[in-house]
Every structure is written in C-alpha cells, then in structure tokens.
Amino acid sequence: LREARGQRDSARARLDRFSDYYNANRTRLSSDDLAVVATAARHLGVRDPGLFEDAIRVYDEAISADSRNVPARVAIGDLLLEKYNNTEARVAFQQALSLNPNHPGALLGLARSLHFDGAAEAMETGRRALAVNEGHVNARVFLARLLVELESYDEALEEVERTLLVNPGALNALGTRAAIEYLTGDQTAFPRTERDVFRRNPRYAEFYNTSAELTARNRRSEERRVG
C-alpha cells in the first residue's frame, strides 16, 4: 500500500525486513515464506535490478520446498515475462496450470504470454481467468487493453469501469482509462483522471507509459492495415 501511494522510502524500509528475516532464518522457512521473501525482492528490484535475480532464485527455492506451490510458479512466470523471457515464463505458467487448470493468475499469465507472441488466443484465455474470478483486477485491465488495441474503446471502457467497481484505486485501471480518454480525444476526462491518479500516487510514472504504449500499439495496427 505504501508503494502504491508513492511512499517509496517507507515501503523499501519495510521490504528490507524480509531480506533480513530470510538471511537469519533461511533453513527454517516454508515454501510460502520463501515466496513472500521472493516477492519482497521483486519489489525492491525496481530500484536495484540485481535483486530480480535474487527473487527468481528464492522463488525457485519455494518451488523446491513444495513443488505444488502454484502461486510461486505464477509469480516466477510473471517476473520472467516482465524481463522478456517469454519462453521460460510460458513453461512456468503451463506447469502451474498442470497443477490447477483453473488458477486465475496462471490463466492470466498464459494470456499475457500468448499476447507477447501475438497469438489470437490471448483474449479467450484472459476471459477464462475472469470466468473463474470475475473480480480479478489485473485480468480485467489486461482484457481492457486488448480491446483498446482492437480500437473497441467503448467495450474497453466498460471493462475498466467494472474493474474500478472492485477497486476504485486500481492505478493500472485508472491509467488504462486515461489512455482510452487520450486516444478518443476526450480533453475533459483525461486531465481529470490524470489528477485523480497523481492525487493517489504522485510518483506513478507508469501512468504515461501506459498511454504511450497503447498509442504506439494502435499506430502499428493502423500501419499494418494501411500496408
């Protein structure tokens, strides 16, 4: 929560405690404990990229401690995909789904992996995640962004609004709504959403990254159609 509010130093101080605890209790930690430590390292890696490797290593330790730890497999898949290693990420998601075919996080991860490769099945797989958990914020945001890429702006906005009913402060949903407003030329709504986002987190740089990424994707789609 502190990180989401832009309170980075306070968040980092708390996250550092997990590293200290890990170093002092490494041989006694359960699979779930190890996954929590790895997640802390992943968050810390935003400011210290070297810690991403530590996160992957500790996620692997969590899986070694309990091969049926599905959330740990999903988390390592998400991190690998974030670092553009889609080949290994796909394997992690598929392994998670072999243990639990209806795990919404694993289904979303697979959908994101398919989208990375430009596969049309990404949309269907994302909807499967929502069929399991209709309140899954990240799955709805993912679906909304796919709809933006298809220029189905009204449908995309509907997905965003459904997301905000679940979590009115979801920054990724608010950022997607702002991107839709920008792409559709809504010069009244965009600055209003922009103010709302930075009121919640004054350091949320991802706000502009989302608009830029979706705008770039739409331009590439237009170029392919013209070509």
Side-chain angles (χ1 to χ4, degrees):
L1 286 172
R2 289 173 184 267
E3 192 173 66
R5 292 168 182 162
Q7 300 169 8
R8 293 176 180 173
D9 292 339
S10 176
R12 185 178 181 86
R14 289 174 175 268
L15 289 165
D16 278 334
R17 297 181 190 177
F18 289 94
S19 298
D20 295 338
Y21 189 79
Y22 170 79
N23 291 327
N25 301 277
R26 181 174 178 177
T27 59
R28 295 185 294 158
L29 298 182
S30 70
S31 177
D32 288 340
D33 292 336
L34 289 165
V36 170
V37 171
T39 299
R42 179 181 177 183
H43 283 278
L44 290 167
V46 173
R47 296 177 67 178
D48 184 356
L51 289 173
F52 284 126
E53 293 184 8
D54 287 342
I56 290 174
R57 175 177 55 78
V58 181
Y59 277 130
D60 280 335
E61 289 181 19
I63 293 168
S64 295
D66 180 3
S67 62
R68 300 190 65 81
N69 190 332
V70 172
R73 291 185 183 277
V74 173
I76 198 171
D78 287 337
L79 182 52
L80 289 167
L81 186 58
E82 183 180 318
K83 299 304 169 188
Y84 303 102
N85 185 349
N86 189 40
T87 300
E88 291 187 37
R90 179 80 60 85
V91 171
F93 295 134
Q94 289 173 332
Q95 289 174 337
L97 288 168
S98 70
L99 294 168
N100 182 352
N102 295 313
H103 191 282
L107 287 167
L108 174 59
L110 180 58
R112 292 174 59 235
S113 174
L114 290 166
H115 182 246
F116 186 95
D117 284 342
E121 296 89 349
M123 178 80 76
E124 178 187 349
T125 307
R127 291 190 186 280
R128 285 173 57 198
L130 286 171
V132 177
N133 179 4
E134 63 179 12
H136 198 295
V137 168
N138 291 336
R140 284 218 176 271
V141 171
F142 173 77
L143 184 59
R145 292 183 180 181
L146 288 186
L147 290 165
V148 169
E149 292 177 23
L150 296 173
E151 298 184 19
S152 300
Y153 298 124
D154 289 342
E155 290 182 69
L157 192 57
E158 287 178 11
E159 293 297 337
V160 169
E161 296 306 327
R162 288 176 187 169
T163 304
L164 294 173
L165 287 174
V166 176
N167 180 3
L171 294 177
N172 56 352
L174 290 168
T176 303
R177 183 169 75 182
I180 296 168
E181 292 162 351
Y182 177 81
L183 287 165
T184 57
D186 193 334
Q187 298 179 5
T188 300
F190 178 84
R192 184 170 60 240
T193 302
E194 183 181 37
R195 286 192 299 272
D196 187 18
V197 167
F198 288 105
R199 176 179 59 81
R200 297 173 185 276
N201 183 346
R203 298 181 175 182
Y204 189 62
E206 189 63 25
F207 176 84
Y208 296 111
N209 293 340
T210 298
S211 295
E213 179 184 350
L214 290 175
T215 299
R217 286 182 179 276
N218 278 35
R219 284 177 179 169
R220 286 196 294 270
S221 296
E222 289 176 6
E223 290 170 0
R224 284 195 294 270
R225 287 198 299 272
V226 171

